[in-house]
Structures are given as structure tokens and as C-alpha cells.
């Protein structure tokens, strides 16, 4: 039986939403426990080690994305032979990457005493922690890589309960070891390693059950790699894009460590944890959208494709606006209650983080279509983005500290993400003028700002005791309600995309009644 893209998306969203709520509850509690028992410095050290390893993982060259976008058509055509060949090519390349990653880690291990010359937890822990995080990457390259098929086939709802189940079990084990045993950081890192091993077995169990016909190709690398020369070209193009993604997401903590402190990396990590949850919520609401877009484009119906694009564009920006306004008004009071007032950033830093969050969430629709069209030839754009991001973050970070780093990140996003990528996608993917997109993006952003100003004004009219949690929660919820209703009403009256989104939601709900 053929399952519709919408039904698969809903199935993914249902499971993801349940797990997302669990993730939030577990994440808040575990972060507080880890900060209390491990300390700011150890958390900052773990974050920095993860960023270093992410840099070395640039050797992955964007192979995963190239494979995922190449799988859309054979999945659509039910072409098992091509699916097996593509995953076999991925396996061959990933084995080489795993060896390369191990080799590249040797200089890092040698330089470890110079990177972290004075840590309270000791240099031995830094070594063990790095090797543990490295093992997780190696496991992914050697055994877990076939999960890309489940993602491309929009069957995440069958896999992610296993992955999250293992993850939460690992976290609760770490908490128990910290609170009930004298093992401390060594128990924590041991459980981290064990979690990686169990994840391997969980992923491969689901793969074998869902795709019993999936076996490695018997053809050698010498035969397979030349046959998929086109795929290898995409991989090379994606390498540059991988660099841009790394610089955007991973270098900020390193620069903050260089110009501020490990403790500030931890404070920044608290905010990014909350922002990350909001971004995860976006993925829950629009679960499986990349694979759905890939299948949509495979149908080759340009008119329908554009209709879906504008619907997704408007709905994503609206929900992104709700999430960003929520972060803006909730995050300060929440962190103050959760961890303490010393962890709260000032408003200028918060606004820069909210701007980063809004651009990052709103970018995903245009990038999903760009990836689905396999438009990776603009290899110069991530290089320019990386240079802008890194150069401006270092310069501004030297001048203005944390705020300067965030300003550098946002500047690179505006130039490349908001201006260039839409132009490239419209010209070579949709084959349409890009000006309507720029106009619509500016209009939608203006609607979000208008809604925020109205909501803030109404909140300011209410006199309440800031020390009373109940009245404070009421005012914050009032602001969120006003923002949501105001922006929805404006977009519903003025955009076709929101009207189409409303109709889709009504149809989904009517089928449930």
C-alpha cells in the first residue's frame, strides 16, 4: 500500500512530539544535575572537545547529505538495486573516513596538554573524554550509516524511539552514577561510551527488521565508485558546504573560549540548549519535510511544488516567530529559576541570539528545496560564509567579547543565507525570479516584529509582582497569546501560504474526528 507524504510526515511528527517533550524534561533536569556534580569547567571542556571533534569530522565531506538526496528517486521508484549500491558506496567511503579521522586525532591527542594547560578535572580526563566522543563518530561511520535510508524513506518514527530510549537510559545512568556512587566524572564518561555501543545495536536491529533485503553489494569499490561518478561530484561540492555548516555551528564556543572563558562557554551552552530545543520542535512540527520535498520534486509537478513551497515558507516563518518571541520573553526568567541569576545574559546578547535563531529556523525551507534539487555547485558560498563568520567573529569578539562573536555569526547569515541561497535556488531550482521571495521575507519579518511590539506593549500595561511566579507566568502567556493571534490574523488575511496551511490543518483534523 502506498502511504502519502502527508501521512508519513504526521506519523513522524506524532512520535517526535512525544519524544520532544520527554527530551525537554530530561534535558533540563540532567543539565542542572551535571552542572552541580561536574561543574562549569567540565561541561565547558566537554563542549570544547566536541567542537574540536566536529572540526575533524569535516573529513566526512558531506557524504551523508549527498547519499540522502540521491536516495529520494530510487525510493520513489522502489529500486532496491540502486538503493543497495548507493548505501554500499557510502559504506566504502565511510570506512576510509573512519581511518582518516583516527589519523587526524593523533596530533590533537599530542597537543592536548597545550590546549587545556590547567583544568581542575586533570588532563587524563580530557584524553579519555576525547577518545569516548571519537568512538561515537567511529561507530557512526562503520555501522550506523545506513540509518540515512530510514530518514530518506520518511520512516523516522520507527527508529527514533529506539535511539531516544538508549539516550535517556544513558542519561539516567549517568545521573545515578554521579549522585549515588563515588565514580564522579569517570562514571559519567563510562556511561557515555556504553551508550554509543548500545546505539549501534539498536539502529542495526531496526534496519534489519525494516529492510530485510538490504545487504552490502557484492561488487568491489573499483566497480561501484566509477559507476556513481555523478554522486562523487556531489560529495566534492558538499565538502565546501560542510565547512560552512561547521564554522556556523561549531566555532563560536571555541572563539568564546579564546576571548572570554570556559565558564562563558557553559553559559552560552545553556542558552543554546534552549534554542536547540526550539529548533528541535520545528523539526517535530515539520517532521520528515526534507524527504517529503525530495519525493515532491521527483513527481515533477512545478505548479504544485511552488504552492507547497509558499505554504511551508509562511507556516515556518510564523512558527519560527512564535518560538523566537517565546525565547525572548521566557528565557531570562526561566534560566534564573532553573540555574540561578548569574547564568542570565543581558538583553543585547539575548536579542543577538534570537536573531540567530530566527534566521536559522527560517532558512530551512529554502535549504530543503535547494538540497532536494541537489544544487550544491555554489561551492564558493560556504567558503565566503566561513570567512565572514570566522573573520568577523574573531575581530568583533576581540573588540566586544561574546556579543561581538554573535554579531559576526549573524552578519554571515544575512549575506549568504538570506540573500544568496534564495537567489540560487529560485534561479536554478524553481527557475523563477527571486524578487517575490525577498519581498515576502521582508513582509513576513515585518509582521513578526509588529506582533512582538504589540505583545510587549500590552504586557507593559499590566502591573504585576515580578517576584510572584503565577502572575509572571500569566503575563508571559498573555504576551505569547497576543503575539500568536496577531501574527496569524495578519498572515491569514494577507498571504495565500497561510490560508493553504490553515486548510491543510483543518483537513488533517477533520480526518481525526
Amino acid at each position: 500500500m502506498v502511504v502519502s507524504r502527508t501521512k508519513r510526515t504526521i506519523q513522524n511528527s506524532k512520535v517526535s512530539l512525544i519524544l520532544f517533550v520527554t527530551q525537554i524534561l530530561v534535558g533540563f533536569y540532567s543539565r542542572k544535575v551535571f552542572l552541580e556534580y561536574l561543574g562549569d569547567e567540565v561541561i565547558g571542556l566537554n563542549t570544547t572537545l566536541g567542537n574540536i571533534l566536529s572540526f575533524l569530522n569535516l573529513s566526512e565531506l558531506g557524504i551523508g547529505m549527498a547519499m540522502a538526496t540521491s536516495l529520494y528517486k530510487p525510493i520513489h521508484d522502489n529500486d532496491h538495486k540502486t538503493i543497495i549500491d548507493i548505501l554500499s558506496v557510502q559504506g566504502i567511503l565511510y570506512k576510509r573516513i573512519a581511518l582518516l579521522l583516527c589519523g587526524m586525532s593523533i596530533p590533537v591527542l599530542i597537543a592536548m596538554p597545550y590546549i587545556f594547560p590547567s583544568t581542575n578535572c586533570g588532563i587524563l580526563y580530557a584524553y579519555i573524554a576525547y577518545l569516548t566522543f571519537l568512538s561515537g563518530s567511529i561507530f557512526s561511520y562503520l555501522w550506523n550509516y545506513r540509518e540515512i535510508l530510514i530518514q530518506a524513506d520518511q520512516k523516522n518514527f520507527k527508529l527514533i524511539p529506539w535511539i531516544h530510549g538508549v539516550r535517556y537510559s544513558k542519561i539516567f545512568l549517568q545521573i545515578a552514577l554521579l549522585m549515588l556512587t563515588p565514580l564522579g566524572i569517570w562514571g559519567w564518561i563510562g556511561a557515555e561510551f556504553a551508550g554509543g555501543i548500545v546505539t549501534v545495536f539498536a539502529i542495526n536491529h531496526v534496519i534489519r527488521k525494516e529492510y530485510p533485503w538490504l545487504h552490502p553489494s557484492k561488487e568491489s569499490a573499483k566497480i561501484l565508485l566509477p559507476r556513481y561518478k555523478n554522486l562523487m561530484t556531489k560529495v566534492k561540492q558538499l565538502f565546501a558546504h560542510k565547512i560552512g555548516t561547521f564554522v556556523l555551528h561549531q566555532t563560536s564556543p571555541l572563539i568564546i573560549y579564546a576571548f572570554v572563558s570556559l565558564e562563558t562557554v557553559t553559559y552560552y551552552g545553556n542558552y543554546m540548549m534552549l534554542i536547540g530545543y526550539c529548533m528541535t520542535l520545528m523539526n517535530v512540527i515539520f517532521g520528515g519535510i526534507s524527504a517529503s520535498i525530495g519525493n515532491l520534486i521527483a513527481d515533477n509537478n512545478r505548479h504544485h511544488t511552488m504552492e507547497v513551497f509558499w505554504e511551508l515558507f509562511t507556516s515556518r516563518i510564523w512558527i519560527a516567530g512564535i518560538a523566537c518571541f517565546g525565547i525572548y520573553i521566557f528565557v531570562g526568567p526561566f534560566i534564573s529559576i532553573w540555574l540561578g541569576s548569574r547564568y542570565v545574559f543581558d538583553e543585547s546578547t539575548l536579542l543577538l541570539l534570537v536573531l540567530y535563531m530566527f534566521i536559522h529556523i527560517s532558512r530551512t525551507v529554502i535549504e530543503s528545496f535547494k538540497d532536494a534539487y541537489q544544487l550544491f555547485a555554489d561551492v564558493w558560498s560556504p567558503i565566503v560564509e566561513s570567512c565572514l563568520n570566522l573573520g568577523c567573529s574573531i575581530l568583533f569578539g576581540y573588540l566586544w567579547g561574546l556579543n561581538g562573536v554573535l554579531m559576526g555569526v549573524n552578519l554571515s547569515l544575512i549575506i549568504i543565507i538570506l540573500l544568496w541561497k534564495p537567489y540560487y535556488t529560485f534561479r536554478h531550482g524553481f527557475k523563477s525570479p527571486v524578487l517575490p521571495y525577498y519581498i515576502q521575507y521582508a513582509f513576513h519579518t515585518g509582521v513578526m516584529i509588529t506582533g512582538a511590539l504589540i505583545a510587549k506593549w500590552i504586557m507593559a500595561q499590566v502591573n504585576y509582582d515580578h517576584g510572584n511566579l503565577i502572575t509572571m507566568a500569566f503575563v508571559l502567556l498573555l504576551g505569547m497569546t497576543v503575539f500568536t493571534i496577531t501574527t496569524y490574523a495578519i498572515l491569514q488575511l494577507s498571504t495565500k501560504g497561510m490560508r493553504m496551511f490553515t486548510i491543510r490543518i483543518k483537513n488533517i483534523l477533520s480526518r481525526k474526528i
Side-chain angles (χ1 to χ4, degrees):
M1 183 178 72
V2 177
V3 182
S4 72
R5 288 187 292 266
T6 301
K7 186 174 181 180
R8 283 268 175 87
T9 299
I10 293 171
Q11 287 174 311
N12 284 324
S13 297
K14 281 181 180 177
V15 175
S16 296
L17 185 58
I18 294 170
L19 292 172
F20 172 73
V21 174
T22 307
Q23 180 183 357
I24 288 180
L25 298 175
V26 173
F28 287 149
Y29 176 66
S30 63
R31 181 79 175 183
K32 187 173 180 64
V33 172
F34 293 160
L35 281 169
E36 181 179 348
Y37 284 88
L38 297 178
D40 295 346
E41 190 175 82
V42 173
I43 299 297
L45 175 68
N46 290 339
T47 301
T48 305
L49 288 173
N51 295 138
I52 292 172
L53 188 59
S54 295
F55 175 76
L56 298 184
N57 270 305
L58 282 173
S59 56
E60 194 265 348
L61 303 174
I63 293 169
M65 184 184 291
M67 300 300 160
T69 55
S70 298
L71 282 169
Y72 294 147
K73 192 172 190 325
I75 289 173
H76 181 268
D77 298 338
N78 202 29
D79 184 353
H80 289 184
K81 173 67 168 59
T82 301
I83 292 172
I84 289 172
D85 282 354
I86 290 174
L87 290 176
S88 296
V89 169
Q90 184 180 8
I92 292 167
L93 296 176
Y94 269 12
K95 285 176 184 176
R96 298 177 182 180
I97 296 299
L99 289 173
L100 179 61
L101 182 58
C102 290
M104 293 170 66
S105 292
I106 294 174
V108 174
L109 294 172
I110 294 172
M112 196 73 75
Y114 304 99
I115 300 174
F116 304 104
S118 57
T119 57
N120 294 332
C121 54
I123 195 63
L124 178 60
Y125 174 78
Y127 277 116
I128 299 299
Y130 179 81
L131 291 173
T132 299
F133 300 150
L134 174 64
S135 69
S137 295
I138 299 301
F139 294 157
S140 295
Y141 289 137
L142 296 184
W143 295 292
N144 297 347
Y145 65 90
R146 293 184 301 170
E147 69 176 294
I148 198 73
L149 175 58
I150 283 189
Q151 295 168 12
D153 201 17
Q154 291 184 271
K155 293 183 178 179
N156 273 347
F157 62 92
K158 296 187 177 182
L159 176 63
I160 56 177
W162 288 85
I163 294 177
H164 281 260
V166 172
R167 180 182 301 162
Y168 300 147
S169 299
K170 176 202 71 175
I171 290 173
F172 284 122
L173 176 60
Q174 288 173 321
I175 291 172
L177 290 172
L178 287 172
M179 299 178 71
L180 303 176
T181 74
L183 294 174
I185 57 176
W186 302 110
W188 187 91
I189 204 66
E192 188 75 21
F193 179 75
I197 295 176
V198 177
T199 301
V200 171
F201 287 99
I203 290 174
N204 283 279
H205 167 73
V206 176
I207 293 290
R208 285 193 298 270
K209 183 178 179 182
E210 193 63 31
Y211 306 102
W213 47 265
L214 185 61
H215 303 287
S217 174
K218 296 179 181 179
E219 295 177 302
S220 67
K222 290 182 178 179
I223 296 174
L224 281 174
L225 295 182
R227 182 186 301 166
Y228 289 90
K229 191 188 262 187
N230 241 355
L231 188 54
M232 300 309 296
T233 300
K234 298 296 181 187
V235 167
K236 292 173 183 176
Q237 292 172 346
L238 276 165
F239 173 61
H241 292 274
K242 190 76 172 180
I243 293 175
T245 301
F246 167 78
V247 172
L248 175 64
H249 295 290
Q250 304 298 335
T251 58
S252 293
L254 298 175
I255 298 172
I256 293 168
Y257 169 48
F259 290 112
V260 193
S261 66
L262 273 177
E263 287 78 10
T264 304
V265 173
T266 302
Y267 299 172
Y268 170 80
N270 296 334
Y271 275 78
M272 292 309 294
M273 175 183 174
L274 296 174
I275 289 173
Y277 282 148
C278 287
M279 293 179 180
T280 301
L281 180 58
M282 297 301 100
N283 292 331
V284 169
I285 296 171
F286 294 90
I289 196 65
S290 294
S292 182
I293 290 170
N295 291 321
L296 173 69
I297 290 173
D299 288 340
N300 203 27
N301 185 334
R302 185 179 175 281
H303 177 71
H304 183 50
T305 298
M306 291 305 301
E307 283 190 331
V308 171
F309 170 79
W310 288 115
E311 177 188 343
L312 290 174
F313 170 80
T314 297
S315 57
R316 178 65 63 97
I317 285 193
W318 179 58
I319 295 174
I322 295 172
C324 289
F325 185 71
I327 283 287
Y328 174 69
I329 63 174
F330 276 100
V331 71
F334 179 82
I335 287 184
S336 183
I337 295 168
W338 175 38
L339 300 173
S341 57
R342 74 187 183 96
Y343 288 95
V344 177
F345 285 146
D346 61 33
E347 182 152 355
S348 61
T349 304
L350 176 59
L351 286 172
L352 288 168
L353 285 168
V354 168
L355 175 60
Y356 162 82
M357 177 179 167
F358 182 77
I359 297 173
H360 185 78
I361 296 175
S362 63
R363 71 184 286 181
T364 52
V365 172
I366 199 74
E367 290 205 344
S368 293
F369 278 85
K370 180 178 179 291
D371 293 343
Y373 278 113
Q374 295 189 302
L375 298 174
F376 308 129
D378 60 329
V379 294
W380 64 268
S381 67
I383 296 173
V384 172
E385 181 184 6
S386 300
C387 292
L388 283 171
N389 193 325
L390 196 56
C392 293
S393 294
I394 291 173
L395 175 61
F396 297 162
Y398 174 76
L399 295 173
W400 302 301
L402 175 60
N403 281 4
V405 175
L406 298 176
M407 287 168 61
V409 172
N410 287 330
L411 179 62
S412 66
L413 288 175
I414 291 169
I415 293 173
I416 300 299
I417 302 304
L418 297 189
L419 298 177
W420 164 252
K421 289 196 175 181
Y423 170 78
Y424 185 61
T425 303
F426 268 76
R427 181 177 179 181
H428 297 284
F430 300 136
K431 302 188 186 306
S432 300
V434 73
L435 185 59
Y437 176 87
Y438 292 145
I439 294 172
Q440 286 298 317
Y441 193 96
F443 173 75
H444 283 68
T445 303
V447 171
M448 297 303 111
I449 294 173
T450 300
L453 292 174
I454 293 172
K456 284 284 288 181
W457 182 82
I458 291 178
M459 291 170 65
Q461 307 311 304
V462 181
N463 293 319
Y464 68 98
D465 179 6
H466 290 261
N468 187 311
L469 294 180
I470 295 177
T471 56
M472 182 177 68
F474 170 76
V475 173
L476 293 176
L477 289 173
L478 173 64
M480 284 296 298
T481 302
V482 170
F483 177 88
T484 301
I485 293 174
T486 301
T487 52
Y488 173 80
I490 296 173
L491 292 175
Q492 177 72 12
L493 291 171
S494 59
T495 66
K496 184 180 178 181
M498 182 57 82
R499 290 192 289 273
M500 291 175 61
F501 180 66
T502 301
I503 292 171
R504 185 180 296 274
I505 295 300
K506 286 181 178 177
N507 290 339
I508 291 172
L509 293 176
S510 66
R511 286 198 288 266
K512 301 298 177 184
I513 298 174

